Amino acid sequence: MKKTAICVAALALAGCAGMGEKPAAVERMYVIECGENHVKDVSRWTPGVNVGKPHVFGNHCYLIRHASGWMLWDTGNADRLAAMPNGFSAAGGAITAYMKKPLAESLKELNVAPSDIKHFAM
C-alpha cells in the first residue's frame, strides 16, 4: 500500500513539472460574419423534427491573435457569393448560401493580410 502511494505521488509531481511555464494565451479574437445559409426544411439536420420549417444558419469565421501568430478558424462561404445578391442555391433550391462581403475584405478592415495568417483550422 505504501509503495502505491509513493508511485501516485511521484506521478503527480512529474505531471506538474512543466507547470512553471506560462501557457501561450489568446490576445484577441475577432468574430467575422462569413455568410448565411438559408434552408427551406431544417429537418434535413433534425430528422423527423421541424419538418418543413425554414431556418437560417449563420456562418462565422474566427480570427485569433495568439502569441504564436494569427490563426483563422474557418473561411465561411465562398467569397464569390458576395457578387451574387440572390445567393447561390443548391440541392434543388433547398439551400441558398449568401455572403455579404468577401472574407479578404473583412481581413483588410482589420489590417490583417492573408499572408499574416500562420495557422488555419476548419
Side-chain angles (χ1 to χ4, degrees):
M1 184 80 144
K2 203 173 199 180
K3 228 180 194 180
T4 304
I6 292 171
C7 287
V8 169
L11 285 172
L13 287 173
C16 295
M19 293 191 60
E21 298 173 27
K22 183 179 177 187
V26 171
E27 297 170 11
R28 178 89 192 248
M29 182 173 81
Y30 298 91
V31 180
I32 302 171
E33 171 59 46
C34 287
E36 287 184 346
N37 300 302
H38 297 224
V39 300
K40 292 181 178 177
D41 183 0
V42 76
S43 70
R44 186 179 279 241
W45 291 270
T46 58
V49 181
N50 301 316
V51 176
K53 291 185 180 179
H55 189 74
V56 176
F57 291 98
N59 200 349
H60 298 92
C61 302
Y62 302 90
L63 180 65
I64 302 163
R65 182 169 180 89
H66 191 273
S68 64
W70 285 105
M71 176 181 177
L72 182 62
W73 188 285
D74 208 341
T75 57
N77 290 345
D79 278 358
R80 66 184 173 84
L81 296 180
M84 301 175 169
N86 297 323
F88 177 79
S89 292
I95 303 169
T96 303
Y98 297 90
M99 186 75 160
K100 290 181 183 173
K101 68 178 159 184
L103 174 59
E105 189 176 316
S106 294
L107 292 173
K108 187 176 181 180
E109 289 173 1
L110 296 170
N111 294 316
V112 176
S115 61
D116 293 338
I117 298 169
K118 303 297 179 209
H119 310 281
F120 177 74
M122 291 285 291

Short mmCIF file of all heavy atoms in Angstrom, two decimals, residues 23-56:
data_model
loop_
_atom_site.label_atom_id
_atom_site.label_comp_id
_atom_site.label_asym_id
_atom_site.label_seq_id
_atom_site.Cartn_x
_atom_site.Cartn_y
_atom_site.Cartn_z
N PRO A 23 1.57 29.38 -20.03
CA PRO A 23 0.97 28.91 -21.27
C PRO A 23 0.72 30.08 -22.23
O PRO A 23 0.44 31.19 -21.80
CB PRO A 23 -0.34 28.26 -20.83
CG PRO A 23 -0.65 28.89 -19.51
CD PRO A 23 0.67 29.26 -18.89
N ALA A 24 0.83 29.81 -23.51
CA ALA A 24 0.53 30.83 -24.51
C ALA A 24 -0.94 31.20 -24.41
O ALA A 24 -1.78 30.36 -24.13
CB ALA A 24 0.86 30.31 -25.90
N ALA A 25 -1.25 32.46 -24.60
CA ALA A 25 -2.63 32.91 -24.43
C ALA A 25 -3.15 33.59 -25.69
O ALA A 25 -2.39 34.12 -26.48
CB ALA A 25 -2.70 33.90 -23.27
N VAL A 26 -4.47 33.57 -25.81
CA VAL A 26 -5.12 34.30 -26.88
C VAL A 26 -5.12 35.77 -26.48
O VAL A 26 -5.56 36.13 -25.40
CB VAL A 26 -6.56 33.79 -27.09
CG1 VAL A 26 -7.32 34.68 -28.04
CG2 VAL A 26 -6.54 32.34 -27.59
N GLU A 27 -4.61 36.60 -27.37
CA GLU A 27 -4.55 38.04 -27.09
C GLU A 27 -5.82 38.75 -27.53
O GLU A 27 -6.24 39.72 -26.92
CB GLU A 27 -3.33 38.63 -27.80
CG GLU A 27 -2.02 38.05 -27.29
CD GLU A 27 -0.82 38.43 -28.14
OE1 GLU A 27 -0.95 39.33 -29.01
OE2 GLU A 27 0.25 37.84 -27.93
N ARG A 28 -6.43 38.25 -28.61
CA ARG A 28 -7.63 38.90 -29.15
C ARG A 28 -8.32 37.93 -30.09
O ARG A 28 -7.65 37.16 -30.78
CB ARG A 28 -7.20 40.16 -29.90
CG ARG A 28 -8.31 40.94 -30.57
CD ARG A 28 -8.89 41.97 -29.62
NE ARG A 28 -10.11 42.53 -30.13
CZ ARG A 28 -10.26 43.79 -30.52
NH1 ARG A 28 -9.24 44.61 -30.47
NH2 ARG A 28 -11.41 44.22 -30.94
N MET A 29 -9.64 37.99 -30.14
CA MET A 29 -10.38 37.17 -31.09
C MET A 29 -11.44 38.04 -31.77
O MET A 29 -12.16 38.78 -31.10
CB MET A 29 -11.06 35.99 -30.41
CG MET A 29 -11.81 35.11 -31.41
SD MET A 29 -12.47 33.60 -30.71
CE MET A 29 -13.97 34.21 -29.97
N TYR A 30 -11.49 37.95 -33.08
CA TYR A 30 -12.49 38.66 -33.86
C TYR A 30 -13.48 37.64 -34.42
O TYR A 30 -13.07 36.62 -34.97
CB TYR A 30 -11.84 39.40 -35.04
CG TYR A 30 -10.86 40.45 -34.63
CD1 TYR A 30 -9.50 40.15 -34.48
CD2 TYR A 30 -11.27 41.76 -34.42
CE1 TYR A 30 -8.59 41.13 -34.11
CE2 TYR A 30 -10.36 42.74 -34.06
CZ TYR A 30 -9.02 42.42 -33.91
OH TYR A 30 -8.13 43.38 -33.54
N VAL A 31 -14.77 37.92 -34.31
CA VAL A 31 -15.80 37.09 -34.93
C VAL A 31 -16.18 37.81 -36.21
O VAL A 31 -16.60 38.97 -36.20
CB VAL A 31 -17.02 36.93 -34.01
CG1 VAL A 31 -18.09 36.08 -34.70
CG2 VAL A 31 -16.61 36.32 -32.67
N ILE A 32 -16.00 37.13 -37.33
CA ILE A 32 -16.25 37.73 -38.64
C ILE A 32 -17.47 37.06 -39.27
O ILE A 32 -17.57 35.84 -39.30
CB ILE A 32 -15.02 37.55 -39.57
CG1 ILE A 32 -13.78 38.19 -38.93
CG2 ILE A 32 -15.30 38.12 -40.95
CD1 ILE A 32 -12.49 37.88 -39.66
N GLU A 33 -18.39 37.86 -39.77
CA GLU A 33 -19.57 37.36 -40.48
C GLU A 33 -19.08 36.78 -41.81
O GLU A 33 -18.56 37.51 -42.65
CB GLU A 33 -20.56 38.50 -40.72
CG GLU A 33 -21.71 38.15 -41.61
CD GLU A 33 -22.57 36.99 -41.12
OE1 GLU A 33 -22.91 36.97 -39.92
OE2 GLU A 33 -22.87 36.10 -41.93
N CYS A 34 -19.25 35.49 -41.97
CA CYS A 34 -18.75 34.82 -43.18
C CYS A 34 -19.86 34.15 -43.97
O CYS A 34 -19.63 33.14 -44.64
CB CYS A 34 -17.67 33.82 -42.80
SG CYS A 34 -16.12 34.59 -42.33
N GLY A 35 -21.04 34.72 -43.91
CA GLY A 35 -22.13 34.23 -44.74
C GLY A 35 -23.30 33.69 -43.94
O GLY A 35 -23.28 33.60 -42.71
N GLU A 36 -24.34 33.38 -44.68
CA GLU A 36 -25.55 32.77 -44.13
C GLU A 36 -26.00 31.68 -45.08
O GLU A 36 -25.81 31.78 -46.29
CB GLU A 36 -26.70 33.78 -44.01
CG GLU A 36 -26.55 34.77 -42.92
CD GLU A 36 -27.77 35.69 -42.81
OE1 GLU A 36 -28.63 35.72 -43.74
OE2 GLU A 36 -27.86 36.38 -41.79
N ASN A 37 -26.64 30.67 -44.51
CA ASN A 37 -27.20 29.59 -45.31
C ASN A 37 -28.67 29.46 -44.94
O ASN A 37 -29.00 29.17 -43.79
CB ASN A 37 -26.44 28.29 -45.06
CG ASN A 37 -24.98 28.44 -45.44
OD1 ASN A 37 -24.66 28.75 -46.58
ND2 ASN A 37 -24.09 28.24 -44.49
N HIS A 38 -29.54 29.72 -45.91
CA HIS A 38 -30.98 29.66 -45.69
C HIS A 38 -31.48 28.30 -46.19
O HIS A 38 -31.19 27.93 -47.32
CB HIS A 38 -31.69 30.77 -46.45
CG HIS A 38 -31.29 32.15 -45.99
ND1 HIS A 38 -32.21 33.14 -45.80
CD2 HIS A 38 -30.08 32.69 -45.67
CE1 HIS A 38 -31.59 34.24 -45.39
NE2 HIS A 38 -30.29 33.98 -45.31
N VAL A 39 -32.24 27.62 -45.35
CA VAL A 39 -32.80 26.33 -45.74
C VAL A 39 -34.32 26.38 -45.66
O VAL A 39 -34.87 27.06 -44.81
CB VAL A 39 -32.23 25.17 -44.88
CG1 VAL A 39 -30.72 25.09 -45.03
CG2 VAL A 39 -32.60 25.32 -43.42
N LYS A 40 -34.95 25.64 -46.55
CA LYS A 40 -36.41 25.62 -46.57
C LYS A 40 -36.98 24.58 -45.61
O LYS A 40 -38.11 24.69 -45.19
CB LYS A 40 -36.90 25.33 -47.99
CG LYS A 40 -36.61 26.47 -48.95
CD LYS A 40 -37.13 26.16 -50.33
CE LYS A 40 -36.86 27.33 -51.26
NZ LYS A 40 -37.29 27.06 -52.63
N ASP A 41 -36.17 23.57 -45.27
CA ASP A 41 -36.64 22.48 -44.41
C ASP A 41 -35.50 22.04 -43.50
O ASP A 41 -34.60 21.31 -43.91
CB ASP A 41 -37.13 21.32 -45.27
CG ASP A 41 -37.69 20.16 -44.46
OD1 ASP A 41 -37.73 20.25 -43.21
OD2 ASP A 41 -38.11 19.16 -45.08
N VAL A 42 -35.53 22.51 -42.25
CA VAL A 42 -34.45 22.23 -41.31
C VAL A 42 -34.42 20.77 -40.87
O VAL A 42 -33.43 20.31 -40.28
CB VAL A 42 -34.50 23.20 -40.11
CG1 VAL A 42 -35.60 22.81 -39.13
CG2 VAL A 42 -33.15 23.29 -39.41
N SER A 43 -35.45 20.00 -41.20
CA SER A 43 -35.46 18.59 -40.78
C SER A 43 -34.36 17.78 -41.45
O SER A 43 -34.06 16.67 -41.02
CB SER A 43 -36.83 17.94 -41.06
OG SER A 43 -37.05 17.79 -42.44
N ARG A 44 -33.72 18.34 -42.45
CA ARG A 44 -32.55 17.71 -43.06
C ARG A 44 -31.46 17.51 -42.00
O ARG A 44 -30.66 16.60 -42.08
CB ARG A 44 -32.05 18.64 -44.18
CG ARG A 44 -30.95 18.14 -45.03
CD ARG A 44 -30.62 19.19 -46.09
NE ARG A 44 -31.56 19.13 -47.19
CZ ARG A 44 -31.21 18.87 -48.44
NH1 ARG A 44 -29.95 18.70 -48.76
NH2 ARG A 44 -32.11 18.80 -49.39
N TRP A 45 -31.43 18.41 -41.00
CA TRP A 45 -30.45 18.34 -39.91
C TRP A 45 -31.07 17.82 -38.62
O TRP A 45 -30.36 17.57 -37.65
CB TRP A 45 -29.83 19.72 -39.67
CG TRP A 45 -28.96 20.12 -40.81
CD1 TRP A 45 -27.62 19.87 -40.93
CD2 TRP A 45 -29.35 20.80 -41.99
NE1 TRP A 45 -27.16 20.36 -42.13
CE2 TRP A 45 -28.21 20.94 -42.81
CE3 TRP A 45 -30.56 21.32 -42.46
CZ2 TRP A 45 -28.24 21.56 -44.05
CZ3 TRP A 45 -30.59 21.94 -43.71
CH2 TRP A 45 -29.44 22.05 -44.48
N THR A 46 -32.39 17.72 -38.59
CA THR A 46 -33.09 17.21 -37.40
C THR A 46 -34.12 16.19 -37.86
O THR A 46 -35.33 16.44 -37.78
CB THR A 46 -33.80 18.37 -36.64
OG1 THR A 46 -34.72 19.01 -37.54
CG2 THR A 46 -32.82 19.38 -36.11
N PRO A 47 -33.69 15.04 -38.36
CA PRO A 47 -34.60 14.06 -38.96
C PRO A 47 -35.84 13.80 -38.10
O PRO A 47 -35.76 13.50 -36.92
CB PRO A 47 -33.74 12.80 -39.09
CG PRO A 47 -32.35 13.33 -39.20
CD PRO A 47 -32.32 14.55 -38.30
N GLY A 48 -37.00 13.97 -38.75
CA GLY A 48 -38.27 13.71 -38.09
C GLY A 48 -38.79 14.86 -37.24
O GLY A 48 -39.90 14.81 -36.72
N VAL A 49 -37.98 15.90 -37.07
CA VAL A 49 -38.37 17.04 -36.24
C VAL A 49 -38.28 18.30 -37.10
O VAL A 49 -37.40 18.42 -37.94
CB VAL A 49 -37.44 17.17 -35.01
CG1 VAL A 49 -37.85 18.33 -34.13
CG2 VAL A 49 -37.41 15.88 -34.21
N ASN A 50 -39.18 19.24 -36.87
CA ASN A 50 -39.18 20.52 -37.59
C ASN A 50 -39.36 20.36 -39.10
O ASN A 50 -38.80 21.14 -39.88
CB ASN A 50 -37.90 21.31 -37.31
CG ASN A 50 -37.73 21.61 -35.84
OD1 ASN A 50 -38.67 22.00 -35.16
ND2 ASN A 50 -36.53 21.41 -35.33
N VAL A 51 -40.11 19.38 -39.50
CA VAL A 51 -40.33 19.11 -40.93
C VAL A 51 -41.00 20.31 -41.58
O VAL A 51 -42.00 20.83 -41.09
CB VAL A 51 -41.18 17.83 -41.12
CG1 VAL A 51 -41.50 17.60 -42.59
CG2 VAL A 51 -40.46 16.63 -40.53
N GLY A 52 -40.40 20.77 -42.68
CA GLY A 52 -40.96 21.88 -43.45
C GLY A 52 -40.69 23.26 -42.88
O GLY A 52 -41.10 24.25 -43.46
N LYS A 53 -39.99 23.34 -41.76
CA LYS A 53 -39.71 24.66 -41.16
C LYS A 53 -38.42 25.24 -41.74
O LYS A 53 -37.38 24.59 -41.76
CB LYS A 53 -39.57 24.54 -39.64
CG LYS A 53 -40.86 24.22 -38.95
CD LYS A 53 -40.69 24.24 -37.44
CE LYS A 53 -42.02 23.92 -36.76
NZ LYS A 53 -41.86 23.91 -35.31
N PRO A 54 -38.50 26.50 -42.20
CA PRO A 54 -37.30 27.16 -42.72
C PRO A 54 -36.37 27.55 -41.56
O PRO A 54 -36.80 27.67 -40.41
CB PRO A 54 -37.83 28.39 -43.43
CG PRO A 54 -39.13 28.68 -42.76
CD PRO A 54 -39.68 27.35 -42.30
N HIS A 55 -35.11 27.75 -41.88
CA HIS A 55 -34.14 28.14 -40.85
C HIS A 55 -32.97 28.87 -41.53
O HIS A 55 -32.69 28.64 -42.70
CB HIS A 55 -33.61 26.90 -40.12
CG HIS A 55 -32.79 27.22 -38.92
ND1 HIS A 55 -33.34 27.68 -37.74
CD2 HIS A 55 -31.45 27.17 -38.71
CE1 HIS A 55 -32.38 27.88 -36.85
NE2 HIS A 55 -31.22 27.58 -37.42
N VAL A 56 -32.33 29.73 -40.77
CA VAL A 56 -31.13 30.43 -41.26
C VAL A 56 -29.97 30.04 -40.36
O VAL A 56 -30.03 30.20 -39.14
CB VAL A 56 -31.31 31.97 -41.24
CG1 VAL A 56 -30.02 32.66 -41.65
CG2 VAL A 56 -32.46 32.38 -42.15
#
